[in-house]
């Protein structure tokens, strides 16, 4: 089932607003075709497709077939889908709602299996598919006593994917995406969780990780060690979201206050001089803990804070900003080490909330520049 050829670098369409299927199609027609024409004019181009909960219910069998014809006529195909944000993802506060419904809910299970059915229609022959998803749930909202409920729903999803493979011949993987503040944050936590699922080898074939470079850089992980840990535990990378975070090499977090915006969570991690990490669920919370009114707050305002990293997806071609660096160096180390056939997609969904001077021309031009940088990086040219 595996096609070992190198796929073109693509981008995740969650950068474009719109929850309905009609809005999704419009963004594909307006933006994705233009990106394809710029970076991959002479050959088929993969789409990192986001389909919301609403849109997934609007696509019937006939529409799925019509869309496959549209993809073919435009030289596009789908290998990866973003099944993480179920509901509204732009233009209004999202914050921790992005994790709902989580894997305790049958709604999350049903949504994921709908996406899998659609992907089985659109996935080219000979290729495996990958659907990214919530890393179980968000810690602050998650009752630990319900972990088993989430585990059972995940197993049901894997059973559904296996049944789909038997029926269609298409292997689709459920790719959990570790994220700061969630039950799965780090690569070691992912390894332990996968082991504790205790599923058969057959079901394990449908389980993978969606590796978001911004998220793992935020944990101060070493790229090589992280990849080796996955390989040593036979964990497949379904696809990689190529993204970059803020890196402030000093204790004065107030320098990043302009990135405290109301739509998305911007989790923060402080690294202290002794190597310990301290985590905050949002930039505003971290700024409050380090502000003048909270000078006696332990931990985050400690004098031994060495540096900060903040979850704010930045255009990957930016090595630094006026007030800080980025985690681009993580990408320079990580990308050349990946197997050639791992799907790569840039995922700067924060484009609309970036400070104005960081919004490079149009969204299409910014995406094109990101894809070109990633392609050069994975070839070791930057």
């Amino acid at each position: 089932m595996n096609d070992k050829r190198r796929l073109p670098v693509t981008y995740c369409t969650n950068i474009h607003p719109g929850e309905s299927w009609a809005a999704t199609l419009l963004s594909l027609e307006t933006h994705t075709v233009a990106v394809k024409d710029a970076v991959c004019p002479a050959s088929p181009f993969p789409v990192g497709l986001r389909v919301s909960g609403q849109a997934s219910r609007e696509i019937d069998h006939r529409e799925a077939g019509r869309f496959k014809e549209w993809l073919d006529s435009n030289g596009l195909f789908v290998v990866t889908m973003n099944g993480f944000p179920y509901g509204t993802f732009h233009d209004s506060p999202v914050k921790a709602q992005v994790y709902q419904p989580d894997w305790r809910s049958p709604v999350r299970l049903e949504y994921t299996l709908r996406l899998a059915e659609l992907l089985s229609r659109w996935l080219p022959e000979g290729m495996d598919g990958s659907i990214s998803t919530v890393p179980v749930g968000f810690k602050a909202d998650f009752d630990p006593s319900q972990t088993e409920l989430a585990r059972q729903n995940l197993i049901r999803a894997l059973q559904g994917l296996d049944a789909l493979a038997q029926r269609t011949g298409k292997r689709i993987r459920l790719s959990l995406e570790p994220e700061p503040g969630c039950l799965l944050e780090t690569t070691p936590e992912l390894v332990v969780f996968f082991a504790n699922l205790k599923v058969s080898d057959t079901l394990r074939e449908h389980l993978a990780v969606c590796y978001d470079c911004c998220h793992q850089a935020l944990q101060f992980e070493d790229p090589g060690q992280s990849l080796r840990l996955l390989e040593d535990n036979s964990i497949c990378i379904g696809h990689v979201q190529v993204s970059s975070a803020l890196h402030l090499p000093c204790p004065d977090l107030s320098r990043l206050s302009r990135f405290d915006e109301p739509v998305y969570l911007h989790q923060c991690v402080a690294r202290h001089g002794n190597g310990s990490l301290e985590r905050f669920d949002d930039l505003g919370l971290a700024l409050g803990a380090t502000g003048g009114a909270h000078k006696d707050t332990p931990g985050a305002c400690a004098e031994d804070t060495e540096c900060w990293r903040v979850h704010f997806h930045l255009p990957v071609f930016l090595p630094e900003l006026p007030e800080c660096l980025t985690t681009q160096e993580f990408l320079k180390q990580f990308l050349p080490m990946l197997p050639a056939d791992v799907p790569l997609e840039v995922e700067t969904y924060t484009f609309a909330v970036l400070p104005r001077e960081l919004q490079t021309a149009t969204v299409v031009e910014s995406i094109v520049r990101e894809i070109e940088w990633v392609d050069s990086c994975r070839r070791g040219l930057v």
Side-chain angles (χ1 to χ4, degrees), residues 31-322:
H31 302 300
T32 308
V33 171
V35 171
K36 190 259 190 222
D37 289 345
V39 301
C40 199
S43 57
F45 182 65
V47 180
L49 184 62
R50 190 241 165 171
V51 174
S52 73
Q54 174 187 337
S56 71
R57 293 188 298 270
E58 293 172 347
I59 307 170
D60 59 18
H61 185 81
R62 178 177 296 180
E63 177 58 19
R66 193 204 67 80
F67 181 61
K68 179 63 166 63
E69 293 174 356
W70 181 87
L71 289 167
D72 292 343
S73 67
N74 284 278
L76 302 168
F77 62 97
V78 181
V79 172
T80 63
M81 294 185 74
N82 190 324
F84 196 127
Y86 174 87
T88 301
F89 194 57
H90 288 279
D91 301 329
S92 61
V94 178
K95 297 293 183 181
Q97 284 301 308
V98 73
Y99 308 108
Q100 298 299 326
D102 62 26
W103 276 101
R104 294 170 294 182
S105 171
V107 176
R108 171 65 61 177
L109 171 62
E110 293 158 5
Y111 167 55
T112 303
L113 292 179
R114 285 200 302 274
L115 294 184
E117 286 283 351
L118 294 171
L119 184 53
S120 72
R121 297 285 305 277
W122 303 330
L123 184 66
E125 294 295 332
M127 290 188 183
D128 291 342
S130 175
I131 300 173
S132 62
T133 192
V134 174
V136 188
F138 188 54
K139 286 180 182 177
D141 298 333
F142 201 95
D143 181 349
S145 69
Q146 295 183 305
T147 303
E148 179 60 21
L149 175 60
R151 176 180 170 274
Q152 289 299 325
N153 280 330
L154 283 165
I155 291 173
R156 291 186 186 100
L158 298 176
Q159 291 169 337
L161 294 177
D162 184 58
L164 182 65
Q166 298 302 319
R167 175 163 51 87
T168 67
K170 302 289 184 69
R171 179 168 63 187
I172 295 171
R173 292 187 171 98
L174 180 63
S175 298
L176 276 69
E177 181 183 335
E179 178 162 327
C182 292
L183 270 73
L184 305 180
E185 292 186 279
T186 68
T187 302
E189 288 174 345
L190 180 83
V191 168
V192 171
F193 184 79
F194 275 28
N196 289 339
L197 273 178
K198 294 182 172 60
V199 296
S200 67
D201 290 344
T202 300
L203 293 187
R204 182 66 180 261
E205 283 291 310
H206 301 284
L207 185 63
V209 58
C210 172
Y211 196 105
D212 189 304
C213 297
C214 170
H215 299 171
Q216 302 322 119
L218 211 72
Q219 307 299 332
F220 292 89
E221 294 191 7
D222 176 86
Q225 290 178 3
S226 180
L227 278 175
R228 283 192 294 274
L229 189 57
L230 294 175
E231 183 178 0
D232 290 346
N233 288 276
S234 301
I235 295 177
C236 173
I237 300 176
H239 62 286
V240 170
Q241 290 178 336
V242 186
S243 52
S244 195
L246 296 162
H247 174 71
L248 180 67
C250 79
D252 184 11
L253 187 61
S254 66
R255 293 189 184 188
L256 302 184
S257 58
R258 70 175 177 147
F259 293 93
D260 182 23
E261 57 82 33
V263 177
Y264 302 110
L265 274 186
H266 300 293
Q267 298 94 323
C268 304
V269 181
R271 185 171 68 186
H272 301 304
N274 63 2
S276 65
L277 302 181
E278 185 168 9
R279 298 174 171 88
F280 294 83
D281 283 343
D282 205 358
L283 178 54
L285 297 174
L287 287 167
T290 58
H294 299 275
K295 286 297 183 183
D296 295 329
T297 302
C301 57
E303 293 182 359
D304 72 336
T305 299
E306 178 184 88
C307 59
W308 290 89
R309 288 185 176 176
V310 180
H311 179 212
F312 196 117
H313 286 211
L314 302 164
V316 296
F317 51 76
L318 294 175
E320 59 183 275
L321 309 178

